Amino acid sequence: METVDIQAVESKLSDVTVTAIPMTPKVTQQPGQSKYAQLLGVIEEMGREVRPTYAGSRSSAERLKRGIVHARILVRECLIETERSARQ
């Protein structure tokens, strides 16, 4: 398995600019849904955008960028949640 340099990936992602495109989310988030379940939903949504992005769809590319930003936030929140659980 290939190792990934997290700082290199984060520095590349920090250059991503996201343009807001108003739309309704495909994944409905329940009020009590865990951060991990939300992350899985975002990843699933992102998977649907990959092929249209490669085909040249700008709107899919923008949704994919927004999904990446959202997933990064949720990953951080999941890590915080996990650390809190480990301390108890």
Side-chain angles (χ1 to χ4, degrees):
M1 184 172 204
E2 187 180 332
T3 60
V4 177
D5 183 15
I6 298 298
Q7 276 112 10
V9 172
E10 284 186 342
S11 68
K12 289 177 184 175
L13 289 176
S14 66
D15 296 339
V16 174
T17 57
V18 179
T19 306
I21 300 174
M23 57 184 7
T24 58
K26 295 176 186 172
V27 176
T28 57
Q29 296 180 358
Q30 304 296 327
Q33 195 175 26
S34 73
K35 297 292 180 189
Y36 183 72
Q38 290 177 24
L39 177 59
L40 291 178
V42 169
I43 292 170
E44 184 178 329
E45 228 176 273
M46 288 168 48
R48 292 189 208 111
E49 303 299 337
V50 172
R51 187 172 296 195
T53 299
Y54 275 113
S57 171
R58 289 183 182 170
S59 60
S60 289
E62 290 299 320
R63 284 191 296 270
L64 188 57
K65 287 177 190 177
R66 275 200 324 267
I68 291 168
V69 170
H70 191 191
R72 288 180 65 199
I73 292 166
L74 287 172
V75 165
R76 286 187 192 115
E77 291 175 355
C78 285
L79 289 171
I80 291 168
E81 211 173 83
T82 303
E83 288 172 5
R84 282 185 191 148
S85 295
R87 289 182 191 150
Q88 293 177 354

